[in-house]
Amino acid sequence: MTLTQTDHTDLGTLIGYALQPTQRPGRSPEYRRLLGRYRSEPHFRTAADAVLHGLGARVLSDGDFGLVLGVEPESPFAFRVTDMPNAGTRNSRLLAGLVLVGIAAYAYPSPAELDEERIRRVPDTEFEQWMRSLCERLQVVDAAGETIPEEGLDEAWRVYHELPPVLVGDRGRGSGRLSPKCTLYWVRNTLGWLVEQGMARTDGTDGTWILTERFRIQVKDMASEPAYTFLAALARGEHTATAAATSGSDDHTTEEK
């Protein structure tokens, strides 16, 4: 079936909505109409998928959150850690990347968890302590001579472990605020970025964040990444070098709706 000029306009508009992570079909009748076309009209869906393929992207979900896209590393829409706020230095990029992968492992520590559509809460101070404990387990892994599968992860945990959990500035514009030289700053900075990407929201409770379905879909797509699989397995106590260190400790559990 030949697409009309109107069809092409609708394709571009739909992809434009998909590239705005905070857009929702429930808030926009036009987005809802175009999503309906994608779901119900095979020729329209095929054309949209082809355009996305040319842009190095693909549809991961066409559910209530709209089109959730996964992108290839070479795509012009690919995420870079440098896109995150205040991630201009190497150490800041390592910290932001580690926290981001850590949030995924904290919320979804096993493949089965990724198939469960339920609320995942991240209390930032509790998560920071969990991350610090994970770094201590990585220290045990390192001391035992085990290989950490990704060079960036091996470097990042050391940077995280060396910083204090909390440090408040005492000079200039940073006075009274969390300093980038502490890990809680990077936890909150990363969670705040996830809010901007439509992958988290605050729940009205100070210091607690809720991960959205969009985040679960994205994590499921990257579930084979070495850093995530290693941290998730480590959190479950599945590395022999950490068995002694983790025995007797309670695993993190998430809260259901």
Side-chain angles (χ1 to χ4, degrees):
M1 180 175 180
T2 302
L3 294 177
T4 66
Q5 182 175 350
T6 298
D7 291 330
H8 284 103
T9 299
D10 279 358
L11 283 172
T13 305
L14 176 62
I15 292 171
Y17 277 121
L19 293 172
Q20 300 176 67
T22 58
Q23 287 282 0
R24 298 286 184 275
R27 302 172 189 163
S28 168
E30 179 67 355
Y31 192 3
R32 192 160 55 248
R33 179 184 73 82
L34 296 172
L35 183 63
R37 291 200 67 186
Y38 181 85
R39 289 169 169 171
S40 63
E41 300 177 28
H43 72 286
F44 187 81
R45 184 185 190 103
T46 299
D49 289 345
V51 172
L52 287 169
H53 178 72
L55 293 169
R58 65 195 186 285
V59 175
L60 301 179
S61 171
D62 60 1
D64 293 342
F65 270 78
L67 291 189
V68 180
L69 303 180
V71 298
E72 301 300 325
E74 64 275 10
S75 170
F77 306 124
F79 160 70
R80 306 282 187 272
V81 176
T82 51
D83 297 332
M84 298 177 70
N86 306 318
T89 68
R90 177 166 178 77
N91 278 2
S92 63
R93 291 192 292 273
L94 287 169
L95 288 165
L98 176 65
V99 170
L100 187 59
V101 177
I103 291 170
Y106 177 87
Y108 307 101
S110 71
E113 298 274 357
L114 285 166
D115 291 324
E116 296 180 7
E117 299 180 15
R118 56 186 174 91
I119 291 175
R120 315 284 167 150
R121 287 184 169 83
V122 183
D124 52 25
T125 54
E126 178 183 312
F127 172 71
E128 192 286 323
Q129 294 166 6
W130 182 86
M131 279 294 300
R132 192 160 295 277
S133 172
L134 206 64
C135 288
E136 290 170 358
R137 299 181 195 183
L138 282 163
Q139 191 174 32
V140 175
V141 170
D142 181 64
E146 288 192 28
T147 300
I148 294 175
E150 192 170 292
E151 183 179 348
L153 174 59
D154 193 27
E155 189 176 355
W157 77 261
R158 299 172 195 274
V159 176
Y160 190 102
H161 194 248
E162 289 174 0
L163 292 181
V166 178
L167 182 65
V168 177
D170 58 3
R171 296 181 183 179
R173 289 184 298 177
S175 180
R177 299 179 181 177
L178 279 177
S179 167
K181 296 180 179 180
C182 74
T183 50
L184 185 57
Y185 171 91
W186 288 103
V187 168
R188 290 180 177 172
N189 186 68
T190 305
L191 285 165
W193 178 81
L194 286 176
V195 171
E196 294 175 0
Q197 301 306 306
M199 291 190 278
R201 67 180 189 273
T202 57
D203 74 344
T205 303
D206 186 35
T208 299
W209 312 68
I210 295 176
L211 302 176
T212 68
E213 180 70 359
R214 181 181 291 270
F215 184 74
R216 184 187 70 84
I217 293 167
Q218 293 289 351
V219 174
K220 189 171 183 178
D221 185 53
M222 53 141 311
S224 62
E225 292 294 323
Y228 166 72
T229 56
F230 188 83
L231 287 186
L234 189 65
R236 298 193 302 268
E238 292 181 1
H239 287 282
T240 56
T242 60
T246 59
S247 62
S249 62
D250 292 331
D251 289 338
H252 165 70
T253 56
T254 52
E255 181 174 343
E256 297 192 16
K257 292 181 182 179

